[in-house]
Amino acid sequence: MTLTRLDPRSPYVVDTRPLGRQPGSMRTATRVVPAPGSLAAGTSAIPEGSEIELDFRLEAVMEGVLVTGTAEARYEGECARCLDPVSHSFEASYQELFRYPEEDAYGRAEDVPDEEEGEEDYYLEGDLLDLEQVLRDATVLALPLSPLCREDCPGLCVECGVKLAEAGADHGHGERVDPRWEALRKLGGSSGDA
């Protein structure tokens, strides 16, 4: 029996025994998992513990198990233009190959290479695979870096900071001249008087 470090009770861990190892066999699954912490990009984040719906397909291939699916979640953040709170749902897709562990001459599973050695491959641990890191990678890359409350958000006034959507079309601060050009304007005004 192969020992594993994965907890089969974890919502991210999938048991591949029903799939078998016959290339071409396939199973589909749906599950709702709690969002792990630190799923953020820019000014948007998925709140820790909120629901993420996973739809995925497991396919046995020669090298391991190919997992293809989507993750639907809701992110929260603030509008990049007006700083209002924003909350939208989004979908992230993912596809990852979980390789079978290497076996020695006696058919025993060898140790899986450490990730610190530059290996970026995912490996099955016994018949279990862990989707947490795949989920993290897919959702963080799909989060908007600068979310908007609406596509045509006018933002804030650069002079006074009021929300332009609330201020109206007639909002203004009069004719302002850059102070660096003020001396030039005075010269132009004095030559016209003479």
Side-chain angles (χ1 to χ4, degrees):
M1 183 171 149
T2 305
L3 295 177
T4 179
R5 296 177 297 209
L6 296 178
D7 181 4
R9 297 170 296 187
S10 169
Y12 308 106
V13 174
V14 178
D15 188 354
T16 63
R17 279 181 293 189
L19 178 67
R21 291 198 174 192
Q22 178 65 34
S25 61
M26 179 180 66
R27 298 241 187 237
T28 59
T30 302
R31 66 172 61 172
V32 176
V33 299
S38 303
L39 294 179
T43 59
S44 59
I46 300 172
E48 184 174 354
S50 64
E51 293 185 345
I52 300 177
E53 184 177 330
L54 301 178
D55 289 319
F56 56 93
R57 180 180 66 222
L58 303 171
E59 295 176 76
V61 295
M62 294 297 290
E63 299 87 11
V65 176
L66 182 66
V67 181
T68 306
T70 58
E72 284 187 46
R74 190 159 195 81
Y75 72 84
E76 296 177 355
E78 58 184 30
C79 178
R81 293 182 186 159
C82 70
L83 306 179
D84 276 349
V86 175
S87 179
H88 292 291
S89 59
F90 75 104
E91 183 175 285
S93 57
Y94 54 91
Q95 183 174 50
E96 196 63 57
L97 175 65
F98 286 81
R99 296 184 179 280
Y100 294 128
E102 301 291 329
E103 294 182 353
D104 63 12
Y106 301 104
R108 295 179 299 207
E110 294 180 352
D111 288 336
V112 175
D114 290 333
E115 290 180 23
E116 296 173 1
E117 294 177 11
E119 293 287 329
E120 293 184 19
D121 292 336
Y122 294 100
Y123 287 87
L124 288 164
E125 290 190 27
D127 290 316
L128 302 177
L129 59 87
D130 188 1
L131 289 176
E132 184 175 356
Q133 189 59 47
V134 173
L135 175 66
R136 282 181 179 279
D137 294 345
T139 54
V140 169
L141 289 174
L143 282 170
L145 293 174
S146 302
L148 299 175
C149 59
R150 61 179 208 244
E151 288 298 317
D152 62 342
C153 176
L156 302 173
C157 175
V158 295
E159 297 287 326
C160 64
V162 71
K163 292 181 187 173
L164 293 175
E166 297 172 0
D170 59 341
H171 178 75
H173 297 278
E175 184 181 327
R176 291 226 163 157
V177 178
D178 187 333
R180 296 173 291 183
W181 295 102
E182 188 64 33
L184 194 58
R185 191 174 94 153
K186 288 180 184 175
L187 285 175
S190 64
S191 65
D193 294 337

